[in-house]
Amino acid sequence: MKKHWGLCLAGRWFTTDDTLEVRSPFDGSVVAEVSRASQSQIEEATAHAVRAFERTRSLSSYERSVILEAASAGIARRAEELAKVMSLEAGKTIRDARVEVARASNTFKVAAEEAKRIGGEYLPLDWIQNSDGRFGITRRFPLGPVLGITPFNFPLNLVAHKVAPALAAGNPVVIKPASSTPVCALALAEILLDAGLPPDAISVLPCQGSVAEPMVADERYKLFSFTGSAEVGWRLKSLAGKKRVTLELGGNAAAIVDRDLGLSLESAAEKCVRGAFANAGQICISIQRIFVHCDVYEPFMELLVSRTRKLVVGDPLEEATDVGPMIDLASAEKTESWVKEALAGGARALTGGVRRGAMFEPTVLVDARPDLKVSCCEVFAPVVVVSPFSDMEDALERVNDSAFGLQAGVFTHDLRHAIRAFERLEVGGVVLNDVPTYRVDHMPYGGVKDSGFGREGVKYAIEEMTELKLLAVNSKG
Ligand code: NAP
């Protein structure tokens, strides 16, 4: 992968004097030098996107599908190179980086299929007497330029979740990637251009958040799709004016481990360890809280703690590594202070709790009060808080006792408990017999409460990115 990257403005590459050094969170080495966009380049990209819409809106389903399929193949062809650069810029373990690259390729593949399925419906309108001979046809039309702002933790696939549905729907798209991880997004632009996308349909503009902010208010964008923290997302929404907004924000996801499980306690514990510590806990649906039925609490804790201690923490590029660094020193220091606060407030660490630079040891806390930051805020770090429960209704209430609501996991063999959880949990998705961290890329995905609104998962994002229009026909006219 090359070391110097220009920015991609309407399919053309520009280098600027204002550059950003992308550094490895593991050892601080320079991964790449990236050009940052100026205000005037942002204005130019927006104007191009408006013009590009005339072209993208008239591409046939077949043409859009072929481009998206070629992009999927392009990602697969460059998989190892992309995984390596992702591991370097984001500190993601190389094994997890390979999984993300494969998912991104699949996201485009799904979009290639969905591009051909943007249908409508026939509606009989002759339900009342004076509407005799009337019927309607609905059809979805592309909205216009889409603005996507993306976070650091899935630097390729979360860009794919904005770009692929936007293009499938026939919209041009402008991406502002996270400043710590812009290279994957720029490489994706290269792949899209190689795949035959009309060049002015894509811009990837690394820049500071404050430089990108005017785009959020710009009325020429018809949809603003944001993935990132709740703090930034809700503030930006207030600037977005009349455009549509999709917010994919943070959470403090919970798992419930019932007395009667749908699988073995070992398997549930193993899944919880992965769900809590993969990507150093920096996943919006990472497990932060586990509620375990008191009848299985002790054996579950033994399994959870012993498996957590076995995790290999270290260089993300090493094949054996399970947990790499956090994205930067400041994030690890913040985690350390929250864990210290929890310990001072009566919590106990059964393992972990130690920071070395940007590395934070996988940490299991018990006896943590619900008002501690590690319980009620988004920790976004390799820290999990475990508590026992004796009554399922109480466990459901404790999961709901959160400002957030992305996904929840429920391990249970009891059908009544499973249905009750589906009905009562205030989240965008309930995952039965697995962790809340489960996601495949075509399922509807998104949150409620402070976790945001709108749904991704290609088909659902296409719905957000299109306008439903009705043709009402008077066949007797
Ligand atoms: P973040 O700090 O909110 O940043 C997200 C993006 O917003 C970055 O590109 C950032 O740019 C940009 N930004 C910041 N301030 C801005 C402004 N004033 N105007 C325009 N853009 C601005 O989040 P993060 O630390 O990258 O990501 C972690 C968060 O994302 C967590 O809360 C996590 O839960 C959430 N997340 C949610 C989902 C989901 O699907 N629900 C998925 C992944 C992550 P800079 O990088 O230049 O600051």
Side-chain angles (χ1 to χ4, degrees):
M1 184 75 68
K2 61 193 184 202
K3 285 263 183 191
H4 295 273
W5 285 86
L7 55 92
C8 176
L9 195 168
R12 287 177 300 147
W13 296 90
F14 293 88
T15 51
T16 59
D17 293 335
D18 178 18
T19 57
L20 174 72
E21 268 186 351
V22 179
R23 289 183 178 270
S24 149
F26 178 66
D27 60 13
S29 59
V30 176
V31 176
E33 200 182 34
V34 170
S35 291
R36 283 201 288 208
S38 63
Q39 280 301 349
S40 66
Q41 285 170 319
I42 282 176
E43 168 54 36
E44 227 185 297
T46 305
H48 274 287
V50 171
R51 283 198 290 276
F53 183 45
E54 286 313 312
R55 179 125 180 247
T56 55
R57 73 197 305 180
S58 56
L59 289 171
S60 68
S61 315
Y62 166 78
E63 286 170 311
R64 282 177 272 129
S65 181
V66 164
I67 293 165
L68 292 161
E69 188 72 51
S72 168
I75 295 171
R77 246 190 328 273
R78 290 175 62 177
E80 195 56 24
E81 175 197 0
L82 286 164
K84 187 156 178 229
V85 78
M86 183 186 298
S87 184
L88 282 167
E89 69 174 350
K92 183 165 287 199
T93 66
I94 188 70
R95 285 183 282 134
D96 285 348
R98 289 187 189 118
V99 172
E100 183 178 340
V101 174
R103 282 182 60 188
S105 174
N106 184 51
T107 300
F108 275 93
K109 196 168 191 50
V110 173
E113 291 163 14
E114 293 297 345
K116 295 188 271 193
R117 285 202 279 260
I118 307 174
E121 59 180 339
Y122 164 84
L123 292 167
L125 298 179
D126 54 354
W127 284 19
I128 51 173
Q129 217 170 17
N130 63 2
S131 212
D132 201 21
R134 313 276 181 142
F135 67 90
I137 298 169
T138 63
R139 190 177 148 191
R140 291 194 162 274
F141 289 86
L143 283 182
V146 167
L147 169 65
I149 297 187
T150 53
F152 74 84
N153 63 331
F154 283 85
L156 183 65
N157 197 35
L158 292 182
V159 178
H161 268 287
K162 314 230 175 283
V163 173
L167 299 176
N171 298 313
V173 57
V174 174
I175 293 289
K176 179 252 174 290
S179 292
S180 44
T181 56
V183 181
C184 283
L186 291 164
L188 181 61
E190 266 185 358
I191 289 167
L192 284 162
L193 295 169
D194 288 348
L197 183 70
D200 48 3
I202 180 84
S203 289
V204 175
L205 307 174
C207 61
Q208 278 183 337
S210 53
V211 177
E213 205 171 294
M215 284 194 285
V216 177
D218 192 321
E219 291 198 351
R220 289 171 292 178
Y221 290 101
K222 301 303 172 195
L223 181 135
F224 168 45
S225 177
F226 178 84
T227 304
S229 63
E231 191 190 350
V232 174
W234 288 111
R235 197 179 72 74
L236 292 181
K237 177 180 173 285
S238 72
L239 308 176
K242 295 180 196 153
K243 67 175 65 58
R244 287 198 195 167
V245 178
T246 304
L247 297 179
E248 301 286 345
L249 309 176
N252 59 355
I256 295 176
V257 180
D258 201 1
R259 178 176 41 197
D260 302 311
L261 298 185
L263 63 175
S264 72
L265 208 54
E266 286 78 6
S267 177
E270 188 61 48
K271 284 173 183 292
C272 285
V273 168
R274 256 210 77 62
F277 303 123
N279 204 24
Q282 300 166 117
I283 303 177
C284 48
I285 39 177
S286 186
I287 309 181
Q288 185 172 328
R289 300 174 295 147
I290 309 180
F291 299 98
V292 187
H293 194 280
C294 50
D295 287 359
V296 292
Y297 183 76
E298 279 192 20
F300 178 83
M301 289 310 288
E302 263 176 44
L303 291 163
L304 185 81
V305 172
S306 63
R307 280 170 161 70
T308 302
R309 288 195 179 125
K310 284 191 191 130
L311 292 172
V312 178
V313 181
D315 184 346
L317 280 174
E318 293 286 337
E319 294 288 338
T321 301
D322 297 305
V323 181
M326 297 191 62
I327 190 65
D328 53 31
L329 184 62
S331 302
E333 285 174 344
K334 185 182 107 178
T335 307
E336 184 179 36
S337 76
W338 285 22
V339 168
K340 277 190 177 154
E341 180 207 66
L343 297 178
R348 288 181 299 129
L350 300 188
T351 185
V354 178
R355 180 183 68 79
R356 279 175 289 114
M359 312 288 297
F360 202 85
E361 290 279 335
T363 301
V364 177
L365 296 176
V366 292
D367 302 337
R369 293 192 323 262
D371 61 318
L372 289 166
K373 287 199 196 86
V374 290
S375 303
C376 65
C377 300
E378 179 183 39
V379 69
F380 212 58
V383 176
V384 67
V385 174
V386 195
S387 317
F389 74 90
S390 53
D391 171 59
M392 184 50 107
E393 288 301 316
D394 173 50
L396 297 177
E397 263 178 45
R398 285 157 80 183
V399 172
N400 284 343
D401 182 20
S402 167
F404 300 106
L406 262 183
Q407 293 200 143
V410 182
F411 292 91
T412 188
H413 208 46
D414 184 325
L415 186 61
R416 285 165 312 163
H417 286 178
I419 290 173
R420 190 77 182 140
F422 187 41
E423 286 172 353
R424 299 298 294 184
L425 289 176
E426 297 162 356
V427 288
V430 174
V431 183
L432 200 56
N433 290 321
D434 211 326
V435 289
T437 327
Y438 173 81
R439 182 179 183 187
V440 286
D441 294 283
H442 64 283
M443 74 187 210
Y445 180 77
V448 299
K449 304 201 282 194
D450 284 5
S451 294
F453 62 67
R455 292 292 177 268
E456 290 197 332
V458 182
K459 172 183 160 195
Y460 306 92
I462 288 173
E463 284 174 9
E464 309 269 356
M465 292 174 178
T466 50
E467 186 75 55
L468 186 75
K469 201 191 277 188
L470 168 76
L471 181 68
V473 179
N474 178 2
S475 67
K476 295 188 174 166

PDB file of all heavy atoms in Angstrom, residues 286-299:
ATOM      1  N   SER A 286     -20.316  -3.674  21.198  1.00  0.00           N
ATOM      2  CA  SER A 286     -19.477  -4.462  22.107  1.00  0.00           C
ATOM      3  C   SER A 286     -20.267  -4.711  23.390  1.00  0.00           C
ATOM      4  O   SER A 286     -21.007  -3.840  23.837  1.00  0.00           O
ATOM      5  CB  SER A 286     -18.234  -3.626  22.415  1.00  0.00           C
ATOM      6  OG  SER A 286     -17.331  -4.366  23.168  1.00  0.00           O
ATOM      7  N   ILE A 287     -20.097  -5.889  24.010  1.00  0.00           N
ATOM      8  CA  ILE A 287     -20.817  -6.132  25.274  1.00  0.00           C
ATOM      9  C   ILE A 287     -20.139  -5.345  26.380  1.00  0.00           C
ATOM     10  O   ILE A 287     -18.958  -5.541  26.645  1.00  0.00           O
ATOM     11  CB  ILE A 287     -20.778  -7.600  25.733  1.00  0.00           C
ATOM     12  CG1 ILE A 287     -21.210  -8.539  24.633  1.00  0.00           C
ATOM     13  CG2 ILE A 287     -21.664  -7.799  26.965  1.00  0.00           C
ATOM     14  CD1 ILE A 287     -21.204  -9.976  25.089  1.00  0.00           C
ATOM     15  N   GLN A 288     -20.904  -4.484  27.019  1.00  0.00           N
ATOM     16  CA  GLN A 288     -20.378  -3.728  28.154  1.00  0.00           C
ATOM     17  C   GLN A 288     -20.976  -4.239  29.469  1.00  0.00           C
ATOM     18  O   GLN A 288     -20.379  -4.104  30.521  1.00  0.00           O
ATOM     19  CB  GLN A 288     -20.697  -2.244  27.951  1.00  0.00           C
ATOM     20  CG  GLN A 288     -20.091  -1.346  29.011  1.00  0.00           C
ATOM     21  CD  GLN A 288     -20.253   0.115  28.681  1.00  0.00           C
ATOM     22  OE1 GLN A 288     -20.253   0.512  27.507  1.00  0.00           O
ATOM     23  NE2 GLN A 288     -20.405   0.955  29.694  1.00  0.00           N
ATOM     24  N   ARG A 289     -22.208  -4.795  29.369  1.00  0.00           N
ATOM     25  CA  ARG A 289     -22.878  -5.249  30.598  1.00  0.00           C
ATOM     26  C   ARG A 289     -23.375  -6.685  30.367  1.00  0.00           C
ATOM     27  O   ARG A 289     -23.971  -6.971  29.330  1.00  0.00           O
ATOM     28  CB  ARG A 289     -24.069  -4.338  30.905  1.00  0.00           C
ATOM     29  CG  ARG A 289     -23.661  -2.871  31.102  1.00  0.00           C
ATOM     30  CD  ARG A 289     -24.881  -1.973  31.254  1.00  0.00           C
ATOM     31  NE  ARG A 289     -25.695  -1.924  30.067  1.00  0.00           N
ATOM     32  CZ  ARG A 289     -27.020  -1.781  30.048  1.00  0.00           C
ATOM     33  NH1 ARG A 289     -27.676  -1.666  31.171  1.00  0.00           N
ATOM     34  NH2 ARG A 289     -27.680  -1.742  28.910  1.00  0.00           N
ATOM     35  N   ILE A 290     -23.109  -7.564  31.343  1.00  0.00           N
ATOM     36  CA  ILE A 290     -23.641  -8.937  31.267  1.00  0.00           C
ATOM     37  C   ILE A 290     -24.448  -9.188  32.539  1.00  0.00           C
ATOM     38  O   ILE A 290     -23.966  -8.927  33.652  1.00  0.00           O
ATOM     39  CB  ILE A 290     -22.532 -10.003  31.156  1.00  0.00           C
ATOM     40  CG1 ILE A 290     -21.543  -9.662  30.024  1.00  0.00           C
ATOM     41  CG2 ILE A 290     -23.140 -11.382  30.912  1.00  0.00           C
ATOM     42  CD1 ILE A 290     -20.402 -10.685  29.865  1.00  0.00           C
ATOM     43  N   PHE A 291     -25.686  -9.647  32.372  1.00  0.00           N
ATOM     44  CA  PHE A 291     -26.524 -10.027  33.506  1.00  0.00           C
ATOM     45  C   PHE A 291     -26.678 -11.541  33.461  1.00  0.00           C
ATOM     46  O   PHE A 291     -27.144 -12.099  32.456  1.00  0.00           O
ATOM     47  CB  PHE A 291     -27.890  -9.322  33.410  1.00  0.00           C
ATOM     48  CG  PHE A 291     -27.750  -7.811  33.452  1.00  0.00           C
ATOM     49  CD1 PHE A 291     -27.750  -7.050  32.277  1.00  0.00           C
ATOM     50  CD2 PHE A 291     -27.577  -7.147  34.661  1.00  0.00           C
ATOM     51  CE1 PHE A 291     -27.590  -5.676  32.307  1.00  0.00           C
ATOM     52  CE2 PHE A 291     -27.419  -5.764  34.706  1.00  0.00           C
ATOM     53  CZ  PHE A 291     -27.425  -5.026  33.531  1.00  0.00           C
ATOM     54  N   VAL A 292     -26.250 -12.206  34.556  1.00  0.00           N
ATOM     55  CA  VAL A 292     -26.194 -13.675  34.567  1.00  0.00           C
ATOM     56  C   VAL A 292     -27.126 -14.206  35.658  1.00  0.00           C
ATOM     57  O   VAL A 292     -27.092 -13.713  36.802  1.00  0.00           O
ATOM     58  CB  VAL A 292     -24.751 -14.159  34.847  1.00  0.00           C
ATOM     59  CG1 VAL A 292     -24.662 -15.679  34.695  1.00  0.00           C
ATOM     60  CG2 VAL A 292     -23.760 -13.470  33.917  1.00  0.00           C
ATOM     61  N   HIS A 293     -27.938 -15.203  35.310  1.00  0.00           N
ATOM     62  CA  HIS A 293     -28.844 -15.782  36.299  1.00  0.00           C
ATOM     63  C   HIS A 293     -28.027 -16.347  37.462  1.00  0.00           C
ATOM     64  O   HIS A 293     -27.008 -17.007  37.246  1.00  0.00           O
ATOM     65  CB  HIS A 293     -29.711 -16.872  35.666  1.00  0.00           C
ATOM     66  CG  HIS A 293     -30.854 -17.243  36.547  1.00  0.00           C
ATOM     67  ND1 HIS A 293     -30.721 -18.085  37.625  1.00  0.00           N
ATOM     68  CD2 HIS A 293     -32.148 -16.835  36.542  1.00  0.00           C
ATOM     69  CE1 HIS A 293     -31.889 -18.192  38.234  1.00  0.00           C
ATOM     70  NE2 HIS A 293     -32.776 -17.444  37.606  1.00  0.00           N
ATOM     71  N   CYS A 294     -28.510 -16.095  38.696  1.00  0.00           N
ATOM     72  CA  CYS A 294     -27.698 -16.467  39.869  1.00  0.00           C
ATOM     73  C   CYS A 294     -27.415 -17.969  39.943  1.00  0.00           C
ATOM     74  O   CYS A 294     -26.372 -18.372  40.461  1.00  0.00           O
ATOM     75  CB  CYS A 294     -28.326 -15.946  41.155  1.00  0.00           C
ATOM     76  SG  CYS A 294     -30.037 -16.344  41.316  1.00  0.00           S
ATOM     77  N   ASP A 295     -28.288 -18.798  39.362  1.00  0.00           N
ATOM     78  CA  ASP A 295     -28.044 -20.255  39.412  1.00  0.00           C
ATOM     79  C   ASP A 295     -26.812 -20.670  38.597  1.00  0.00           C
ATOM     80  O   ASP A 295     -26.260 -21.751  38.828  1.00  0.00           O
ATOM     81  CB  ASP A 295     -29.259 -21.027  38.858  1.00  0.00           C
ATOM     82  CG  ASP A 295     -30.419 -20.995  39.828  1.00  0.00           C
ATOM     83  OD1 ASP A 295     -30.260 -20.396  40.912  1.00  0.00           O
ATOM     84  OD2 ASP A 295     -31.477 -21.540  39.489  1.00  0.00           O
ATOM     85  N   VAL A 296     -26.444 -19.870  37.607  1.00  0.00           N
ATOM     86  CA  VAL A 296     -25.268 -20.237  36.776  1.00  0.00           C
ATOM     87  C   VAL A 296     -24.152 -19.186  36.899  1.00  0.00           C
ATOM     88  O   VAL A 296     -23.156 -19.250  36.175  1.00  0.00           O
ATOM     89  CB  VAL A 296     -25.660 -20.410  35.276  1.00  0.00           C
ATOM     90  CG1 VAL A 296     -26.539 -21.625  35.079  1.00  0.00           C
ATOM     91  CG2 VAL A 296     -26.335 -19.166  34.705  1.00  0.00           C
ATOM     92  N   TYR A 297     -24.345 -18.240  37.815  1.00  0.00           N
ATOM     93  CA  TYR A 297     -23.404 -17.114  37.911  1.00  0.00           C
ATOM     94  C   TYR A 297     -21.970 -17.590  38.187  1.00  0.00           C
ATOM     95  O   TYR A 297     -21.041 -17.219  37.469  1.00  0.00           O
ATOM     96  CB  TYR A 297     -23.875 -16.136  38.994  1.00  0.00           C
ATOM     97  CG  TYR A 297     -23.024 -14.902  39.127  1.00  0.00           C
ATOM     98  CD1 TYR A 297     -23.098 -13.863  38.199  1.00  0.00           C
ATOM     99  CD2 TYR A 297     -22.118 -14.762  40.185  1.00  0.00           C
ATOM    100  CE1 TYR A 297     -22.312 -12.726  38.319  1.00  0.00           C
ATOM    101  CE2 TYR A 297     -21.326 -13.625  40.316  1.00  0.00           C
ATOM    102  CZ  TYR A 297     -21.433 -12.620  39.370  1.00  0.00           C
ATOM    103  OH  TYR A 297     -20.645 -11.498  39.489  1.00  0.00           O
ATOM    104  N   GLU A 298     -21.804 -18.419  39.203  1.00  0.00           N
ATOM    105  CA  GLU A 298     -20.424 -18.797  39.581  1.00  0.00           C
ATOM    106  C   GLU A 298     -19.694 -19.568  38.491  1.00  0.00           C
ATOM    107  O   GLU A 298     -18.580 -19.183  38.111  1.00  0.00           O
ATOM    108  CB  GLU A 298     -20.429 -19.554  40.902  1.00  0.00           C
ATOM    109  CG  GLU A 298     -20.514 -18.563  42.028  1.00  0.00           C
ATOM    110  CD  GLU A 298     -20.249 -19.158  43.384  1.00  0.00           C
ATOM    111  OE1 GLU A 298     -19.642 -20.247  43.449  1.00  0.00           O
ATOM    112  OE2 GLU A 298     -20.652 -18.516  44.356  1.00  0.00           O
ATOM    113  N   PRO A 299     -20.291 -20.658  37.955  1.00  0.00           N
ATOM    114  CA  PRO A 299     -19.547 -21.355  36.877  1.00  0.00           C
ATOM    115  C   PRO A 299     -19.323 -20.463  35.658  1.00  0.00           C
ATOM    116  O   PRO A 299     -18.263 -20.528  35.015  1.00  0.00           O
ATOM    117  CB  PRO A 299     -20.444 -22.547  36.527  1.00  0.00           C
ATOM    118  CG  PRO A 299     -21.759 -22.303  37.178  1.00  0.00           C
ATOM    119  CD  PRO A 299     -21.515 -21.373  38.334  1.00  0.00           C
TER     120      PRO A 299
END
